[in-house]
């Protein structure tokens, strides 16, 4: 039987506010346990939450960016359950009336087509703390630094049909929140994590199969692998006569498998009800317009602009706009050297390769956009060839200074003086009479040999186009 | 030294007729001597009190002015007080030393008040008789065999016996007004949002409101001046310009339209209480008030609606008492579930457990619409009743409670009978309105309270009416004989 996969994602994004969603405690990552948990975060008797207005503004920006409806009135609700790292015995979230509803994201598929993925809703909530199991015997440590960290949970429609589509959606959303500047998107620190709802059904059937929810996937790779494993597990199960049960599963990256965590029967009844400690969040049309004015250029618009303004291919424009920093970097290089296509090739090519090798982020790049622009300008004005530029770039990357200084110090300046090039060509021809004879008797392939000899003699510094032109003339005996 | 009122003590402190230390020692002495008959305090804090009194004396000597400077008060043990046990009347918090101070307490401290201690109360403010306290019942100073009302029973009894000139209370369904009525004192439940709830241990967040309890309306006005005010730490607190509640005390009753809801004078009202209320109303009419019969048609639904909303909120508010971070923790838990179940089973009393279970039930999947949502709709109907009534009248008056204080143990076995004790007060909380109870007569030796209900933020008018009544009568000045 032919099976179809159905996937919906719930993505938790940490909003990058200075203080927590309902208290004044700091949100900075990595502090000593419980150093960033105030009375409100600890859920002490008598404390009350006060909404951090910055959180609302960021959620509105997200809503606008996915063309969603911004609720004029949304309501915080309590999600009640007991857990040691949930200090109040309930999580403040939004339930019936979320702040953002009915948006979408367009993703690019491998075949070049686009697909629209619906976003059902996005709601604000507080994060829980962390249970620490290492370093304790017969006990669990509780760190409440994370308790009260602002999150926006973005829930998609079950519109994705493969793990690849799911990853494309997640990457697109990841880029978007970083473009918007509402989240650092740091996946290692848990600022951007995903629950995947996965089911399968016979191709052609309209009703959904029973889904499993895979919790807490914090990398693109894990999302893809977990979904693929889960799809296979469900198909195998059904084909061998079993049935999929609705349950929550955990992905184990070490064993590359998902395991059952709890079934629907064991699921909590969260007893949601509106939090009486908080007023409804009222958003006026003016607030929405103010947020709209603050929106940066978004990835899709930027991509279109790169195609039309710089004449880049759709693929190149897509790659360069995958992150806001890379797009900004590219634009700075392009502006500095006045050669957008050359800039695109270098930024996506040698520069990205070097960045990947060093495992550093763009912000830590040893070669600034201005420095790279200077290097590319030297290609443009034919001071150096593209090949020599690679050598200069490597030197720049290892901290030897600016392009001009390196070219000067290493004597890499291109030879463009026709007389000088002719003199070297004559030397080479004179030194290789038999090759000359063969060439003249029709062995055209030897042209390359002569080019190589000339370049070798000039340590690669001769202008390649000039060498070609002058050499061809000389060899033909002109 | 002779007993006096809060307002009078304030004047005498200002003219240095007496020092705060003398006054504080005087009341500490009364607590020491007399509270064994009442059990109205859970904690008495003489060292802190004397230090605060000395500080107040220094401020007085410098000629400083502050609304409560040097005046002894008691705090209901529901308010967090840094460094002092804050038990909320529960075994669960018997070991809880609050690491921070509630806004109300902080405001009163800034105003110069001298805290003598923390008063007894029904566990987590759940009760109408003060019998659910982990620290034992409080006795009514007018008759030690009777209850003082609840949940602010300790504050009411302490003020009635003049162990302290004024105290704070909290009122979720009548917890200031009903004990004020039972003990023959004046108590105000302000408009929801008037007084900060920060640091006041939550029972039912959408209903809880702190207010003053004192001998007279004038004393309550003085207290409310210090207690009320916007607090950015409480999202439900209302930002309004500060008001001087003593300014409206001289109000003229001429032409005041007083609404008498027929539903508050019907079946279930004790004839003695009715007679006392009618006599008190006659006093107000003689002073020029106009008495108008009105109807609050949905008020009969207030008790059932309340016993859905309040337990629902309490079931969630009390989830934090899980034995993990503070409060009672059972010995040697076997695992997490055991830690939760045993800590909570041991830490909470029966009434609290009953309400947690009711609340958990009404919020459960499949029951939410039928109970919680329906109750919220009823709540709107009740508020609409009041809105209509206030189109017709300036204040609403009636009995605070259908009966005089009942005997200890009389209603403990029958929760519904106990809940009906708050039948006239609960609607006010559901609507978020201000209410006041003042001594209006007696039945035998026992006090009867009259409730005044005002429109939103109309506390000043309520205090004015009560003060004028207290100019004509001396019910508020009477004291239970053993404590004179």
């Amino acid at each position: 039987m032919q099976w179809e996969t159905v996937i919906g994602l719930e993505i938790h994004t940490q909003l990058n506010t200075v203080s927590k969603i309902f208290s004044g405690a700091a949100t900075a990552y990595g502090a000593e346990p419980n150093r960033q948990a105030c009375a409100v975060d600890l859920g002490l008797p008598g404390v009350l939450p006060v909404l951090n207005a910055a959180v609302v503004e960021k959620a509105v920006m997200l809503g606008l960016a996915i063309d969603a409806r911004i609720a004029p009135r949304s309501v915080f609700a309590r999600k009640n359950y007991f857990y040691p790292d949930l200090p109040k015995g309930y999580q403040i979230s939004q339930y019936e009336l979320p702040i953002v509803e009915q948006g979408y994201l367009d993703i690019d598929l491998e075949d070049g087509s686009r697909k629209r993925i619906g976003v059902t809703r996005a709601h604000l909530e507080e994060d829980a703390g962390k249970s620490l199991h290492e370093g304790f015997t017969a006990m669990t440590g509780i760190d409440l630094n994370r308790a009260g960290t602002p999150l926006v949970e973005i829930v998609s429609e079950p519109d994705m049909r493969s793990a690849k589509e799911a990853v494309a959606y997640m990457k697109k959303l990841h880029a978007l929140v970083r473009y918007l500047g509402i989240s650092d998107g740091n996946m290692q620190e848990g600022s951007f994590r995903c629950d995947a709802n996965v089911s399968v059904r016979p191709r052609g059937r309209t009703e959904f199969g029973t889904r499993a929810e895979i919790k807490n996937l914090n990398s693109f790779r894990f999302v893809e692998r977990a979904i693929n494993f889960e799809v296979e597990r469900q198909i195998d199960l059904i084909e061998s006569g079993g049935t999929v049960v609705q349950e929550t599963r955990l992905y184990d990256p070490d064993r590359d498998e998902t395991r059952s965590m709890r079934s629907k029967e064991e699921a909590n009844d969260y007893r949601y009800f509106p939090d009486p400690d908080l007023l409804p969040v009222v958003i006026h049309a003016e607030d929405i317009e103010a947020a709209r004015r603050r929106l940066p250029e978004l990835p899709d618009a930027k991509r279109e602009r790169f195609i039309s303004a710089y004449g880049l291919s759709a693929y190149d424009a897509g790659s360069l706009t995958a992150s806001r920093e890379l797009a900004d970097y590219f634009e700075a290089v392009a502006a500095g050297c006045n050669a957008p296509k050359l800039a695109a090739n270098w930024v996506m090519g040698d520069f990205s390769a070097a960045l990947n090798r060093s495992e550093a982020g763009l912000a830590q790049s040893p070669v600034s956009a201005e420095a790279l622009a200077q290097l590319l300008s030297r290609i443009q004005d034919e001071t150096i060839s593209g090949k020599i530029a690679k050598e200069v770039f490597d030197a720049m990357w290892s901290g030897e200074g600016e392009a001009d200084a390196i070219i000067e110090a290493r004597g890499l300046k291109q030879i463009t003086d026709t007389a000088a090039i002719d003199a070297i060509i004559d030397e080479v021809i004179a030194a290789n009479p038999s090759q000359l004879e063969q060439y003249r008797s029709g062995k055209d392939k030897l042209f390359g040999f002569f080019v190589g000899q000339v370049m070798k003699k000039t340590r690669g510094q001769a202008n390649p186009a000039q060498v070609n032109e002058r050499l061809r003339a000389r060899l033909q005996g002109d | 030294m002779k007993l006096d009122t809060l307002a009078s003590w304030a004047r005498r402190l200002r003219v240095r007729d007496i020092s705060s230390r003398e006054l504080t020692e005087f009341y500490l002495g009364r607590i020491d001597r007399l509270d064994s008959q009442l059990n109205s305090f859970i904690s008495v804090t003489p060292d802190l009190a004397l230090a605060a009194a000395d500080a107040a004396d220094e401020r007085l000597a410098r000629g400083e002015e502050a609304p409560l400077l040097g005046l002894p008060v008691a705090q209901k043990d529901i308010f967090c007080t840094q460094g002092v046990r804050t038990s909320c009347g529960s075994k669960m918090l018997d070991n809880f030393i609050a690491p921070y101070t509630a806004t109300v307490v902080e405001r009163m401290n800034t105003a110069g008040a001298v805290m003598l201690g923390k008063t007894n109360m029904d566990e987590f403010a759940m009760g109408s008789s003060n019998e659910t306290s982990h620290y034992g019942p409080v006795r009514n100073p007018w008759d030690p065999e009777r209850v003082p009302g609840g949940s602010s029973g300790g504050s009411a009894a302490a003020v009635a016996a003049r162990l302290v000139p004024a105290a704070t209370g909290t009122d979720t369904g009548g917890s200031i007004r009903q004990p004020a009525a039972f003990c023959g004192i004046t108590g105000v439940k302000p408009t929801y949002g008037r007084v900060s709830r920060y640091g006041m241990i939550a029972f039912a967040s959408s209903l809880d409101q702190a207010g003053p309890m004192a001998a007279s309306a004038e004393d309550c006005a003085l207290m409310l001046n210090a207690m009320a005010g916007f607090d950015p730490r409480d999202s439900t607190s209302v930002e309004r310009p500060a008001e001087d509640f003593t300014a409206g005390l001289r109000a003229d009753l001429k032409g005041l339209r007083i609404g008498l809801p027929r539903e508050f004078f019907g079946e279930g009202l004790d004839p003695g209480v009715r007679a006392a209320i009618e006599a008190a109303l006659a006093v107000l009419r003689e002073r020029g008030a106009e008495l108008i019969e009105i109807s609050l048609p949905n008020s009969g639904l207030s008790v059932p609606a309340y016993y859905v909303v309040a337990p629902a909120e309490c079931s969630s508010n009390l989830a934090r008492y899980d034995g993990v971070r503070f409060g009672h923790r059972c010995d040697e838990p076997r695992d997490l579930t055991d830690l939760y179940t045993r800590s909570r089973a041991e830490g909470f009393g029966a009434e609290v457990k009953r309400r947690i279970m009711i609340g958990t039930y009404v919020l459960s999947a499949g029951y939410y619409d039928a109970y919680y949502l329906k109750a919220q709709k009823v709540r709107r109907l009740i508020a609409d009743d009041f809105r209509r009534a206030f189109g017709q009248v300036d204040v609403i008056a009636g009995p605070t409670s259908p009966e005089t204080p009942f005997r200890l143990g009389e209603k403990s076995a029958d929760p519904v009978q106990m809940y009906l004790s708050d039948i006239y007060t609960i609607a006010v909380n559901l609507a978020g309105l201000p209410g006041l109870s003042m001594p209006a007569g007696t039945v035998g030796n026992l006090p009867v309270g009259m409730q005044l209900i005002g429109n939103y933020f109309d506390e000043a008018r309520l205090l004015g009416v009560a003060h004028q009544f207290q100019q004509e009568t001396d019910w508020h000045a009477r004291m239970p004989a053993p404590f004179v």
Side-chain angles (χ1 to χ4, degrees):
Chain A
M1 190 180 303
Q2 286 274 47
W3 295 94
E4 183 177 50
T5 304
V6 176
I7 302 161
L9 298 185
E10 294 167 18
I11 292 177
H12 288 86
T13 307
Q14 181 179 326
L15 296 173
N16 55 353
T17 50
V18 177
S19 59
K20 293 184 176 177
I21 182 168
F22 298 120
S23 83
T27 53
Y29 180 81
E32 287 282 294
N34 298 311
R35 289 296 175 84
Q36 284 177 180
C38 67
V40 173
D41 307 322
L42 293 172
L44 288 182
V47 297
L48 296 170
V50 175
L51 179 62
N52 178 347
V55 165
V56 174
E57 197 182 303
K58 287 171 197 284
V60 170
M61 286 173 73
L62 172 73
L64 292 173
I66 58 169
D67 206 9
R69 174 179 174 271
I70 311 294
R73 183 175 170 278
S74 62
V75 170
F76 283 102
R78 293 184 184 178
K79 179 180 183 179
N80 294 284
Y81 64 98
F82 284 94
Y83 205 72
D85 59 25
L86 187 71
K88 299 186 294 295
Y90 58 84
Q91 178 194 27
I92 305 177
S93 181
Q94 294 188 310
Y95 184 56
E96 280 183 334
L97 297 170
I99 190 161
V100 169
E101 282 179 295
Q102 292 162 11
Y104 62 83
L105 267 187
D106 289 331
I107 58 168
D108 294 295
L109 304 183
E110 279 182 329
D111 64 5
S113 65
R114 298 207 111 185
K115 180 172 177 177
R116 180 155 292 186
I117 307 297
V119 174
T120 317
R121 58 184 275 160
H123 64 255
L124 290 167
E125 63 186 24
E126 60 178 344
D127 208 343
K130 235 168 29 186
S131 295
L132 308 169
H133 302 288
E134 278 163 37
F136 297 92
T137 42
M139 280 206 272
T140 299
I142 304 292
D143 178 5
L144 296 176
N145 283 349
R146 210 178 62 185
T149 299
L151 301 177
V152 59
E153 179 175 341
I154 304 157
V155 182
S156 84
E157 291 288 313
D159 285 348
M160 287 153 277
R161 293 291 173 267
S162 69
K164 281 208 157 36
E165 287 185 18
V167 171
Y169 167 80
M170 194 175 168
K171 282 187 170 164
K172 187 81 184 251
L173 193 58
H174 186 250
L176 184 64
V177 297
R178 288 165 54 97
Y179 260 79
L180 291 169
I182 62 173
S183 172
D184 66 16
N186 190 320
M187 297 172 86
Q188 285 81 47
E189 292 174 7
S191 301
F192 192 86
R193 51 190 200 259
C194 171
D195 301 338
N197 285 293
V198 180
S199 65
V200 297
R201 63 182 171 191
R203 197 169 290 284
R205 186 176 288 179
T206 48
E207 59 268 36
F208 295 127
T210 305
R211 69 191 153 88
E213 183 181 16
I214 314 167
K215 281 273 182 202
N216 259 326
L217 300 162
N218 67 349
S219 86
F220 299 124
R221 201 160 50 96
F222 290 169
V223 167
E224 181 162 1
R225 285 165 56 177
I227 291 173
N228 283 334
F229 172 87
E230 183 58 21
V231 167
E232 257 182 67
R233 186 190 71 87
Q234 292 185 14
I235 293 172
D236 286 352
L237 188 63
I238 298 168
E239 287 183 342
S240 61
T243 44
V244 176
V245 293
Q246 189 175 330
E247 62 182 351
T248 305
R249 299 179 70 84
L250 269 184
Y251 175 68
D252 179 346
D254 297 329
R255 298 169 143 201
D256 191 21
E257 62 177 29
T258 66
R259 277 199 302 273
S260 183
M261 201 170 128
R262 57 172 180 261
S263 73
K264 191 185 173 190
E265 286 71 34
E266 299 166 80
N268 284 307
D269 175 357
Y270 291 119
R271 292 171 283 122
Y272 281 101
F273 74 106
D275 191 332
D277 287 333
L278 289 160
L279 303 178
V281 181
V282 175
I283 299 172
H284 302 285
E286 308 91 79
D287 306 331
I288 295 176
E289 286 321 303
R292 200 188 299 280
R293 282 193 295 275
R294 278 195 302 276
L295 282 185
E297 185 182 30
L298 297 177
D300 284 352
K302 204 181 275 287
R303 193 176 85 136
E304 291 313 308
R305 183 167 61 79
F306 279 16
I307 293 171
S308 60
Y310 298 125
L312 302 183
S313 69
Y315 178 83
D316 288 358
S319 304
L320 288 171
T321 54
S323 91
R324 187 174 168 177
E325 294 100 313
L326 191 67
D328 289 348
Y329 187 90
F330 158 73
E331 287 209 273
V333 175
C337 70
N338 208 9
K341 282 188 183 169
L342 182 66
N345 288 337
W346 269 82
V347 171
M348 287 188 301
D350 292 77
F351 177 74
S352 290
L355 209 55
N356 285 342
R357 273 197 304 278
S358 73
E359 287 174 9
L362 213 163
Q364 290 89 49
S365 162
V367 177
S368 71
E370 293 67 36
L372 183 57
Q374 188 190 68
L375 173 65
L376 302 192
S377 296
R378 296 295 88 83
I379 301 177
Q380 281 290 99
D381 65 17
E382 303 195 329
T383 307
I384 54 172
S385 66
K387 197 165 173 204
I388 292 291
K390 289 176 194 292
E391 182 189 335
V392 178
F393 177 79
D394 289 342
M396 287 164 71
W397 192 270
S398 41
E400 287 179 37
E402 291 200 332
D404 286 346
I406 294 166
I407 293 167
E408 190 60 39
R410 296 195 177 186
L412 296 174
K413 212 166 164 207
Q414 190 163 256
I415 301 166
T416 51
D417 176 1
T418 313
I421 291 173
D422 282 352
I424 294 163
I425 288 172
D426 289 346
E427 273 178 47
V428 168
I429 290 174
N432 297 285
S434 65
Q435 280 85 350
L436 178 68
E437 201 175 318
Q438 290 176 43
Y439 178 80
R440 286 200 169 144
S441 61
K443 210 163 178 192
D444 290 352
K445 274 195 287 183
L446 277 170
F447 185 72
F449 164 78
F450 285 106
V451 172
Q453 290 300 308
V454 173
M455 294 313 274
K456 197 171 163 190
K457 268 200 171 318
T458 61
R459 299 207 325 277
Q461 283 164 255
N463 180 306
Q466 270 178 299
V467 169
N468 281 343
E469 188 204 320
R470 301 303 305 166
L471 188 63
R472 201 173 297 281
R474 282 306 224 232
L475 287 173
Q476 276 158 14
D478 295 344
Chain B
M1 199 170 354
K2 269 189 67 190
L3 285 163
D4 212 334
T5 67
L6 190 75
S8 181
W9 287 130
R11 285 187 283 273
R12 292 171 62 182
L13 282 166
R14 228 168 298 147
V15 299
R16 318 291 308 281
D17 174 41
I18 188 170
S19 71
S20 177
R21 175 170 265 269
E22 287 166 327
L23 194 56
T24 302
E25 282 174 342
F26 171 65
Y27 279 107
L28 284 172
R30 285 185 67 81
I31 295 170
D32 195 39
R33 226 169 44 245
L34 301 167
D35 196 41
S36 55
Q37 299 172 48
L38 298 176
N39 193 30
S40 66
F41 279 84
I42 290 174
S43 306
V44 183
T45 52
D47 295 348
L48 284 175
L50 292 171
D54 290 344
D57 280 330
E58 280 174 36
R59 289 173 69 184
L60 284 160
R62 288 198 298 267
E64 269 185 53
E65 294 264 350
L68 299 177
L69 194 50
L71 293 168
V73 298
Q75 299 289 356
K76 185 177 180 179
D77 207 18
I78 199 169
F79 294 102
C80 284
T81 42
Q82 189 168 1
V84 177
R85 173 173 61 181
T86 300
S87 75
C88 220
S90 181
K91 180 182 178 187
M92 183 58 90
L93 291 178
D94 183 53
N95 64 2
F96 180 65
I97 311 293
Y100 76 104
T101 297
T103 298
V104 164
V105 177
E106 204 174 80
R107 290 183 67 98
M108 290 175 66
N109 289 347
T110 307
V114 173
M115 182 181 91
L116 303 186
K118 313 278 304 276
T119 54
N120 204 341
M121 55 181 286
D122 279 301
E123 184 180 9
F124 283 101
M126 298 176 201
S128 308
S129 68
N130 217 115
E131 291 168 296
T132 71
S133 170
H134 170 63
Y135 300 92
V138 177
R139 291 172 185 272
N140 192 314
W142 296 90
D143 179 347
E145 295 309 308
R146 291 177 189 270
V147 304
S151 65
S152 311
S155 288
V159 170
R162 307 297 192 261
L163 304 188
V164 67
T168 54
T170 61
D171 190 316
T172 305
S175 279
I176 286 175
R177 291 158 291 159
Q178 184 252 24
F182 276 17
C183 291
I185 64 163
T186 308
V188 181
K189 181 219 104 68
T191 308
Y192 184 79
R194 178 71 99 167
V195 177
S196 169
R197 294 187 295 114
Y198 188 79
M200 179 178 124
I201 297 179
F203 158 20
S205 313
S206 73
L207 301 161
D208 295 343
Q209 186 64 199
M213 304 177 82
S216 66
E218 187 185 16
D219 290 355
C220 283
L222 214 57
M223 286 277 283
L224 193 55
N225 275 352
M227 295 173 74
F230 173 68
D231 181 4
R233 289 174 295 186
D234 174 2
S235 311
T236 62
S237 122
V238 178
E239 199 162 3
R240 290 173 67 88
E243 224 175 294
D244 178 3
F245 296 102
T246 61
L249 293 176
R250 320 259 164 263
D252 191 349
L253 298 187
K254 194 155 285 166
L256 182 82
R257 297 168 303 167
I258 299 179
L260 308 177
R262 88 174 57 95
E263 293 80 6
F264 286 13
F265 291 88
E267 202 188 330
L269 177 60
D270 176 89
V273 172
R274 174 199 292 271
I277 295 299
E278 282 172 352
L281 288 168
V283 172
L284 293 172
R285 190 172 49 212
E286 277 159 31
R287 289 290 305 263
E290 188 188 344
L291 303 181
I292 302 166
E293 192 182 277
I294 59 164
S295 176
L296 300 169
N298 294 294
S299 59
L301 299 173
S302 62
V303 172
Y306 176 87
Y307 278 98
V308 171
V309 174
E313 292 181 8
C314 108
S315 71
S316 175
N317 283 334
L318 270 59
R320 69 190 61 195
Y321 307 107
D322 56 5
V324 174
R325 294 165 312 285
F326 47 75
H328 179 73
R329 173 188 284 206
C330 67
D331 285 332
E332 310 206 357
R334 282 190 310 280
D335 53 28
L336 184 60
T337 306
D338 187 44
L339 169 72
Y340 285 154
T341 52
R342 239 166 2 105
S343 297
R344 288 168 68 81
E346 294 165 5
F348 290 138
E351 183 61 26
V352 170
K353 286 177 194 164
R354 172 162 31 240
R355 297 199 195 189
I356 289 173
M357 284 190 280
I358 293 170
T360 303
Y361 176 79
V362 300
L363 289 175
S364 303
Y367 296 100
Y368 179 85
D369 289 3
Y371 291 106
Y372 187 79
L373 212 56
K374 185 74 142 241
Q376 291 293 13
K377 286 177 185 163
V378 168
R379 205 170 163 175
R380 206 165 312 134
L381 293 177
I382 287 168
D384 287 345
D385 280 359
F386 281 112
R387 198 164 298 128
R388 270 191 297 276
F390 284 116
Q392 254 183 292
V393 300
D394 304 309
V395 297
I396 293 169
T400 305
S401 170
E403 60 197 344
T404 50
F406 45 88
R407 290 178 184 283
L408 282 159
E410 188 179 330
K411 299 191 179 192
S412 316
D414 187 346
V416 175
Q417 276 309 307
M418 185 73 89
Y419 298 165
L420 287 172
S421 180
D422 293 324
I423 190 161
Y424 304 139
T425 49
I426 276 176
V428 176
N429 298 79
L430 290 171
L433 293 164
L436 174 152
S437 180
M438 61 177 180
T442 53
V443 176
N445 182 42
L446 297 171
V448 171
M450 176 168 19
Q451 178 175 223
L452 300 173
I453 303 166
N455 211 337
Y456 296 101
F457 299 103
D458 221 0
E459 290 86 350
R461 193 198 298 265
L462 299 183
L463 288 162
V465 175
H467 183 71
Q468 291 306 310
F469 179 79
Q470 290 173 348
Q471 300 307 296
E472 296 292 311
T473 59
D474 72 344
W475 302 112
H476 66 286
R478 297 191 188 185
M479 274 187 59
F483 299 91
V484 174

